[in-house]
Amino acid sequence: RGLRISRDIRHTVPAPYHARLGQFAGQVNRHMSYDFLVPGIFLLQAHVKPDDTPDDDLSQALCTRSCQALTPETAGSTHYFFMQAHNFRTDDATVTEALYQSVVQAFEEDKRIIEAQQRLIDLGGADVPPMKPIAADLALVQFRRLIDRLIAEEQMPQETA
């Protein structure tokens, strides 16, 4: 019960942190797969590797996996759990710590925005206009539609046999 969005970026320069961690000599291919699962699980699998390797060869790839789980506490608060794993330079604790700090930094940035949005919702009550998605929100729009459909189905009277 969910949806998967995948994205490939081929023949591109590595991001600075990929270049540093993977020591890539040239262009790379990047792949990201996002799973949005009901009720509130987000799974991300990503890798970056030299662009001259076959698609199924991950022997030189920097691979990461992430899981984020959200569970509501109240109408205006949510518990958020996350983890991230990687398959490269696992013998170097500074790499693991740097990756962890980058995830925490991104989370803190998101948290500030989400909390500001919640304050606006709380101030506006029933008068809050609906969110206006942008093109980058397509997966979230699809997930919200899925949630709405599942809620509607759950609220339908059940036929008895």
Side-chain angles (χ1 to χ4, degrees):
R1 292 184 349 151
L3 71 116
R4 173 173 288 163
I5 307 292
S6 294
R7 182 171 182 211
D8 289 295
I9 303 171
R10 296 184 167 278
H11 314 295
T12 188
V13 296
Y17 67 98
H18 287 150
R20 186 176 67 254
L21 294 171
Q23 301 170 347
F24 297 111
Q27 292 190 324
V28 296
N29 289 337
R30 296 175 63 187
H31 172 80
M32 286 86 45
S33 176
Y34 307 88
D35 291 306
F36 296 88
L37 306 174
V38 173
I41 306 291
F42 171 68
L43 304 173
L44 167 62
Q45 297 183 45
H47 67 259
V48 58
K49 62 185 195 139
D51 72 343
D52 59 354
T53 58
D55 285 346
D56 62 348
D57 180 1
L58 299 178
S59 62
Q60 299 175 61
L62 302 179
C63 299
T64 58
R65 299 207 187 314
S66 173
C67 176
Q68 300 169 41
L70 292 83
T71 186
E73 178 185 37
T74 68
S77 65
T78 298
H79 293 281
Y80 179 90
F81 304 93
F82 69 91
M83 62 70 57
Q84 181 163 326
H86 63 284
N87 75 332
F88 53 92
R89 297 180 57 187
T90 56
D91 59 335
D92 186 343
T94 62
V95 169
T96 300
E97 180 63 21
L99 290 169
Y100 172 74
Q101 290 302 326
S102 70
V103 170
V104 169
Q105 179 182 354
F107 170 76
E108 290 297 332
E109 291 169 1
D110 290 349
K111 181 177 180 242
R112 285 191 295 274
I113 297 297
I114 292 166
E115 288 174 341
Q117 289 172 327
Q118 185 62 50
R119 283 191 298 275
L120 289 174
I121 291 168
D122 292 345
L123 287 172
D127 296 329
V128 174
M131 290 186 273
K132 299 290 184 190
I134 60 172
D137 293 331
L138 179 60
L140 296 174
V141 169
Q142 291 174 343
F143 188 69
R144 285 186 184 112
R145 286 181 184 152
L146 173 63
I147 293 287
D148 290 344
R149 181 177 57 84
L150 291 171
I151 289 170
E153 288 173 4
E154 189 175 279
Q155 294 175 348
M156 294 174 83
Q158 299 295 316
E159 291 184 26
T160 56

